[in-house]
Amino acid sequence: MSIPRPLLPVLPLLLPLLLAVALVVALVVPARAADRAAGRDGDGVETARTSRQVAPGVRLESYDRLEADRWLRIDELVVDLGGSGGVRAEYLGGAGAATVADAVARHRAGPGRRVVAAVNGDFFDVGRTGAPLGPGLAAGRLLHSASPGAGRAVGFGADGSGRVLRIGLTGAVTLPGGRALPLTGHNAARPPADGIAAYTADWAGTAIPDRDGATAVDVRDGRVTAVRAVRDPARTERRPAPGTTLLLGLGGAAAELAALRPGNPVAVAARAVPDPGPAPVDAVGGREPLVVAGVPQDHDGAPNNAAAPRTAVGLSRDGRRLRLLTVDGRQRDSGGLTLTALGRLMHRTGAHEALNLDGGGSSTLLAAISGVTAPVLENAPSDGRPRPVPNGLVLTAPEGPGRTTAFRVDAPGGARVFPGLTRTLTATGHDAALGPAAGRPRWSVTAGSIGADGVLRAPRAAGVTAYARLGAARGTLRLDVLGPLARMRPVPARIGLAEAGESAGFVLTGYDAQGAATTVEPRDVALRFDRSRWRVTGGAGGGFTVTALVPRAAGRLLATVRATGATAELALGVGLVTRELAGLEDAAAWTGPGAAPAEGHPGPGLALRLHPPDNRSAPGAPSAPGAPVASGAAAAPPRPLAVPQLARALTLWVGGDGSGARPAVELADADGAAVTLRGPAADWTGWREINLPLPAAPQWPLTVTGLSASGGTRPGRLLLDTLAARTPPTGPAAPGPARPDPVVATGAEVRARPWRFAVAPDAGHPRTAGADLVVTGAEQRPFLHRGVRFLPLGTTRRTLAGGGLDRMRALREALEAAARDPGTGALAVVRRHSVRTVDRKEEALLARHLAEFRRTTGKGAAVITAGAPRFAAGRSEGVLALAAARTGWTLVGADAFPGPGRDWLSVRPTGPRPRPRPAAGPL
């Protein structure tokens, strides 16, 4: 499931199942297996798509895909080059490494033009100079030539059209007397080992790539100003000053340059050599060809052909349609693509030629929003933040007239509101070119009321449209008015801060009787809390910010909606306390290789013994480089240990023996993904407490699944004791409302329904108890019974092993059939409880599809889970949810065509096991 980027700040406001949207496990698999799963035409399903006009001639398409082995999140800029929109693609960067956003802020778009979008560009010399490896041209000027083997690029001509090509270098250094030597590099990150490379103020690296034995010559105004030998490779030359060219003689050319003297005349010439066609005006380097002459390329066996974040550029046959695309990777909700799969994706988008740009943590895509001056980040870089890169591609377009022609109307807190409560709207003016334009509009609404400040007070109606007007300029936004506010809860339910001055945010999420959710804004709420310990302020998007005023405290915040009296309570804490997770007195119950009870600090503890490395090898086998490493040891606890949800770090006492072995704490997150916290190499002797910070990325809750030790260059024995968590002292969250959902009914109410079915863990032969049929979640095919279409969704295969793809395809088919069949009044998804088989993102997608089905058809929908640990019943967005306990059975009364305002199910949570009756035949 994908959520439009402008709504990301209000993610916590969505319904509980949608709140469960989380990152899923990103699997990196061998190229051939990944291609089978994620690259073939027609495989995978698109789960969501949003489209936004960025500028005339530039559109942003953002969409998610569920593949057999991964989720994918893709952002794609679709650009008409050289058309009426006047969009141009230009080289971005040249002044050293910077984030794409910083490079955009420095880019000179030219008179009457503005930047509307950008992506990262070329691969670069990681760990050395940081300079681009491929060629680069800007405004017709050669900025840098390619390093050996890196000559591919995408270039754009004077007419704006683009093409994929190779760009080489031709040039000469003319010495005194007229002798000319070939120029082998121009601002090249890795110049050839033998020849002359020139470096100018356009050099984008951190230091000139000097080599021992090279000769460096400074040339200014056609004359030598300095000659020096490079004796120490660690001594680096810096970027030459403007107007100065530094010549670097390498190999045999070093002696040629060493003969020069200050004052000698020297001429340097460098020119790009394109293949094929004329030299482009702007060009940026790339690496692997993805699509060549309309044929996607197979990179099976290539070193870079692994699933990863990707950036690619594609062009139509005539070079007029440009596609700039990023695929997020190394994340739970986007596993990335192989080169082969990326080529097939680019081919499906319509690319006749496509080139791979730098990926990994470099993948970055920015796009403008109408009325906003600077482009904003659209993708999710895998490093968690944008990475500095040396160059990129930037899209520029003509500036508009600056006169307001329309408004973009937004509701930062969400385009939903409870009757009688408020929603703050914003109106951003833009001109005909979608550029910024000033102007304060007048507001009006079709129902309810709205002030000059854009604060809407909702009516008691199904919906309201807000208008922003200024002369002929206008903007509109449709808002849904939910049912009356029934309950409210804070998200998150607890806030823990480490020290005074630290802040964190929360929102208040309200629900109507059908489980439809949205934010409750600060202006509608009264807060009670200890103002001597905390400061709480309301902010944009309906959120609150809590700031600690003291170094250590615990308390509560009570929020009350003034108009309805609904309340919610938030636990607060500041200062870190130590909470013991395992004292290891039960070390004898911890099991694993090399683990045994031992002396602790003090009292009992756990020992992990690392054994000598096995140096035996087959005759003639090469020995591994470096020193041998002792084998590891690990111990699993007798039961998983829960980590406090607000914990900042784990602590562990380690008795070192100087072996250099590294202790680690092994954890599992809510999706079952492994998380390892590695400690320092134990090069000390005696006891020492180590601190292991918890990363922010894992999906909580976390559980400790083991302790381990690895590494070291000799056998060792680490002693471990007292695993603890450093966490704020918030105490437990306030319990939610205990009232049962109205779907939970008495036996008489269930029997009053036109017919009944039972949910049981198996189809045994107990008493009938009046049930027409029994569903267990193990049914093989959909069936229709008295107006209810039952859809079994098998949970034997994990989401990211093809199960999710099969389930979503079956769901779509069933929804389409139920929507068009007048004899179907409700759809019931039936499945067996299976821990961690269905991931959170699939769960949210299921909820969204069912809610949309109910909204568009008016028919009933439910998710029934058989064999759950305990009974539960509720609803979200009007979709009923029933979890039937694995003990006993649950009787359900059904009416596929109930009267207005009535649920189509009534549920009795317990009863004797029913006798099964044959289900209706398959559809």
Side-chain angles (χ1 to χ4, degrees):
M1 174 183 146
S2 178
I3 297 173
R5 273 52 172 188
L7 296 183
L8 287 177
V10 294
L11 250 172
L13 316 179
L14 303 179
L15 61 153
L17 284 177
L18 292 179
L19 279 170
V21 176
L23 305 172
V24 299
V25 180
L27 302 177
V28 177
V29 297
R32 195 176 290 276
D35 293 343
R36 284 198 300 268
R40 303 294 185 192
D41 290 345
D43 195 15
V45 294
E46 188 174 300
T47 61
R49 180 180 287 264
T50 60
S51 182
R52 181 175 91 228
Q53 198 68 28
V54 173
V58 183
R59 186 177 75 255
L60 173 68
E61 299 283 345
S62 299
Y63 51 99
D64 285 11
R65 285 181 63 83
L66 171 59
E67 307 289 351
D69 69 336
R70 73 193 66 198
W71 294 90
L72 293 174
R73 186 174 56 226
I74 301 167
D75 292 285
E76 179 187 4
L77 289 163
V78 184
V79 187
D80 292 324
L81 294 172
S84 59
V87 182
R88 294 202 300 252
E90 302 171 2
Y91 184 96
L92 175 67
T99 65
V100 176
D102 288 343
V104 161
R106 296 197 298 255
H107 185 74
R108 297 180 180 178
R113 299 186 67 81
R114 67 186 183 100
V115 172
V116 296
V119 298
N120 67 290
D122 199 359
F123 290 79
F124 54 96
D125 193 21
V126 178
R128 291 190 284 187
T129 66
L133 293 173
L137 287 86
R141 184 164 57 89
L142 177 64
L143 298 179
H144 49 88
S145 64
S147 297
R152 288 191 183 90
V154 57
F156 303 91
D159 64 350
S161 63
R163 71 187 197 273
V164 175
L165 72 165
R166 285 185 174 273
I167 300 177
L169 172 70
T170 183
V173 177
T174 304
L175 303 178
R179 184 173 176 225
L181 299 178
L183 187 69
T184 57
H186 178 77
N187 289 325
R190 299 175 185 172
D194 195 345
I196 300 176
Y199 294 88
T200 70
D202 290 328
W203 168 244
T206 55
I208 305 295
D210 291 350
R211 295 176 187 164
D212 191 17
T215 299
V217 175
D218 292 336
V219 177
R220 188 175 183 88
D221 298 328
R223 297 282 177 177
V224 174
T225 61
V227 181
R228 57 196 174 277
V230 180
R231 301 295 183 192
D232 181 4
R235 176 186 176 276
T236 56
E237 301 282 348
R238 301 298 178 184
R239 180 185 293 113
T244 296
T245 298
L246 184 149
L247 298 177
L248 193 64
L250 302 166
E256 299 276 2
L257 295 190
L260 295 173
R261 296 294 178 265
N264 287 162
V266 172
V268 182
R271 181 171 58 87
V273 180
D275 180 21
V281 175
D282 286 86
V284 69
R287 185 178 288 175
E288 296 88 356
L290 300 172
V291 182
V292 177
V295 179
Q297 302 299 290
D298 186 354
H299 291 273
D300 185 37
N304 193 27
N305 192 34
R310 299 288 181 184
T311 302
V313 54
L315 289 157
S316 59
R317 184 188 294 267
D318 63 1
R320 298 289 182 179
R321 175 61 62 92
L322 168 70
R323 295 178 185 273
L324 299 173
L325 180 144
T326 58
V327 181
D328 291 338
R330 299 172 185 162
Q331 302 171 48
R332 295 168 183 245
D333 63 346
S334 192
L337 284 178
T338 67
L339 289 174
T340 304
L342 181 63
R344 289 176 178 143
L345 173 62
M346 294 301 293
H347 181 254
R348 288 199 300 270
T349 66
H352 186 71
E353 302 282 342
L355 184 67
N356 183 44
L357 302 181
D358 191 17
S362 299
S363 285
T364 308
L365 185 146
L366 275 62
I369 300 174
S370 56
V372 176
T373 303
V376 299
L377 181 66
E378 294 292 341
N379 76 313
S382 62
D383 290 352
R385 59 186 179 277
R387 173 188 291 178
V389 294
N391 65 9
L393 277 174
V394 63
L395 301 179
T396 68
E399 290 181 340
R403 295 188 302 274
T404 304
T405 59
F407 289 95
R408 175 173 50 84
V409 180
D410 295 310
R416 287 175 157 189
V417 62
F418 291 106
L421 302 189
T422 62
R423 179 63 76 233
T424 302
L425 308 183
T426 62
T428 305
H430 61 82
D431 61 19
L434 303 182
R440 184 176 181 180
R442 297 189 307 275
W443 291 96
S444 63
V445 288
T446 56
S449 62
I450 192 168
D453 55 358
V455 176
L456 164 74
R457 186 162 294 278
R460 299 185 180 277
V464 58
T465 300
Y467 297 91
R469 294 185 175 93
L470 180 63
R474 67 172 53 195
T476 64
L477 180 67
R478 172 74 178 178
L479 295 97
D480 293 326
V481 179
L482 304 181
L485 177 64
R487 60 186 178 90
M488 183 173 65
R489 70 185 185 97
V491 180
R494 296 184 297 157
I495 285 182
L497 306 172
E499 58 189 4
E502 187 175 339
S503 299
F506 73 94
V507 294
L508 293 171
T509 302
Y511 301 85
D512 68 9
Q514 289 297 323
T518 191
T519 52
V520 177
E521 291 205 352
R523 70 178 69 249
D524 293 322
V525 177
L527 302 178
R528 288 178 53 194
F529 60 94
D530 188 338
R531 298 178 186 273
S532 68
R533 297 180 171 187
W534 320 96
R535 181 173 63 250
V536 182
T537 56
F544 297 82
T545 300
V546 178
T547 303
L549 302 179
V550 295
R552 185 176 297 275
R556 298 273 171 171
L557 178 149
L558 179 66
T560 303
V561 179
R562 298 184 182 93
T564 67
T567 62
E569 194 171 278
L570 179 74
L572 302 174
V574 59
L576 298 181
V577 297
T578 300
R579 182 185 299 178
E580 184 177 297
L581 304 183
L584 294 178
E585 292 87 354
D586 60 347
W590 289 61
T591 58
E599 64 277 18
H601 180 73
L606 178 71
L608 295 180
R609 183 177 295 279
L610 285 76
H611 297 285
D614 186 355
N615 292 324
R616 293 172 296 174
S617 59
S623 59
V629 177
S631 61
R639 67 191 64 82
L641 306 171
V643 178
Q645 189 157 354
L646 297 179
R648 300 297 183 91
L650 299 184
T651 61
L652 179 68
W653 279 94
V654 178
D657 62 353
S659 66
R662 296 184 64 185
V665 179
E666 311 289 344
L667 306 106
D669 72 2
D671 295 322
V675 180
T676 300
L677 306 182
R678 299 192 186 280
D683 52 7
W684 66 87
T685 58
W687 286 97
R688 181 180 298 180
E689 188 178 38
I690 63 172
N691 189 72
L692 305 171
L694 285 162
Q699 178 62 48
W700 289 85
L702 296 176
T703 55
V704 176
T705 58
L707 301 175
S708 65
S710 61
T713 57
R714 61 179 177 80
R717 181 173 179 263
L718 290 187
L719 302 178
L720 308 178
D721 199 358
T722 313
L723 176 67
R726 295 284 289 163
T727 185
T730 64
R739 294 191 304 272
D741 189 272
V743 75
V744 179
T746 65
E749 291 171 322
V750 170
R751 287 190 295 272
R753 293 285 187 163
W755 66 281
R756 286 152 298 286
F757 65 93
V759 184
D762 58 68
H765 298 281
R767 292 179 298 163
T768 63
D772 285 26
L773 56 94
V774 175
V775 294
T776 67
E779 293 78 12
Q780 297 299 310
R781 302 180 67 182
F783 61 91
L784 183 67
H785 184 82
R786 300 186 68 174
V788 178
R789 189 174 297 262
F790 288 87
L791 172 64
L793 286 184
T795 54
T796 57
R797 283 199 300 162
R798 294 175 64 92
T799 298
L800 298 185
L805 188 57
D806 291 343
R807 288 188 286 267
M808 285 303 104
R809 285 174 172 161
L811 177 65
R812 287 186 171 187
E813 292 173 2
L815 291 174
E816 291 170 1
R820 64 175 178 260
D821 178 16
T824 297
L827 174 73
V829 171
V830 183
R831 61 190 183 179
R832 292 192 69 83
H833 177 75
S834 182
V835 177
R836 293 174 179 164
T837 295
V838 179
D839 69 32
R840 293 164 180 257
K841 197 166 184 180
E842 184 191 340
E843 192 79 6
L845 183 59
L846 170 68
R848 196 194 76 189
H849 282 323
L850 291 177
E852 183 68 10
F853 167 79
R854 180 181 177 275
R855 185 187 66 82
T856 56
T857 66
K859 300 182 179 185
V863 177
I864 299 172
T865 303
R870 62 191 63 84
F871 174 84
R875 68 191 70 210
S876 181
E877 299 292 324
V879 177
L880 302 176
L882 167 63
R886 63 171 63 103
T887 57
W889 61 281
T890 300
L891 186 64
V892 183
D895 182 356
F897 303 95
R902 294 192 62 200
D903 290 327
W904 68 278
L905 291 179
S906 294
V907 179
R908 183 186 176 193
T910 59
R913 292 170 57 87
R915 179 180 300 169
R917 293 187 178 181
L923 299 180

